[in-house]
Amino acid sequence: MTGVVVGRRGRRPAGRGVQLTFEVIAESLRERIRSGGLRPGDALPTQAVLMREFGAASLTVQKAMALLKQEGWAVSRPGKGAFVAHHDHPDGADDLDEPEGTAPVGGTTARVEALEQTLAEAVQQIADLRGRVEALESGGGEPGR
């Protein structure tokens, strides 16, 4: 038999010849981001979708998402899901075998940028709501209805 056998608990020989399922899922999502199939701010597939797509367990998908977040490719928005981070990954800069490829600095930058984007969206929503309230208070009814 050729190839590397992966044990029940995801352990493998030092050769790293076979990726674990969570690594396959993470790489697939990274490739979708690199190719433009998923763009910054886009929602990532849900856990249920990824479980079906890869025939993976819930914990496996969670590990893949945690890896993407750690590397700065994705951010979580509580109650909304995971989204592609607003962070550029130039070609060649995502070599994850090198320590600098997983440094938390990129992840922190991506999280800050995602928070800034969320804040900007919230400010716009507040401005829209304020306009509706002012229109209602002036007796003009809600705009657009």
Side-chain angles (χ1 to χ4, degrees):
M1 179 174 167
T2 59
V4 177
V5 177
V6 176
R8 285 184 50 199
R9 296 191 177 221
R11 295 184 186 147
R12 62 180 159 216
R16 290 189 60 120
V18 174
Q19 286 185 313
L20 298 177
T21 304
F22 82 93
E23 294 170 318
V24 171
I25 295 168
E27 181 56 31
S28 173
L29 292 171
R30 276 189 223 104
E31 186 52 40
R32 293 180 202 179
I33 294 167
R34 282 192 290 259
S35 70
L38 288 170
R39 301 180 54 81
D42 285 353
L44 290 170
T46 64
Q47 181 172 316
V49 167
L50 292 171
M51 287 171 63
R52 280 191 304 272
E53 182 178 339
F54 292 93
S58 173
L59 185 59
T60 302
V61 172
Q62 290 172 18
K63 284 179 71 174
M65 296 306 291
L67 180 60
L68 291 173
K69 291 171 191 171
Q70 175 188 349
E71 296 169 352
W73 290 93
V75 293
S76 288
R77 294 186 187 157
K80 298 201 183 272
F83 296 82
V84 177
H86 293 274
H87 183 68
D88 293 327
H89 290 278
D91 291 338
D94 58 341
D95 184 3
L96 300 177
D97 291 333
E98 297 297 323
E100 52 272 297
T102 58
V105 174
T108 301
T109 301
R111 286 191 294 277
V112 168
E113 290 175 357
L115 287 171
E116 289 173 343
Q117 176 68 27
T118 302
L119 178 60
E121 292 168 3
V123 167
Q124 183 60 49
Q125 290 173 347
I126 290 170
D128 293 344
L129 289 171
R130 182 173 287 137
R132 290 180 181 177
V133 168
E134 289 173 357
L136 287 170
E137 287 176 346
S138 68
E142 191 169 343
R145 291 200 181 195

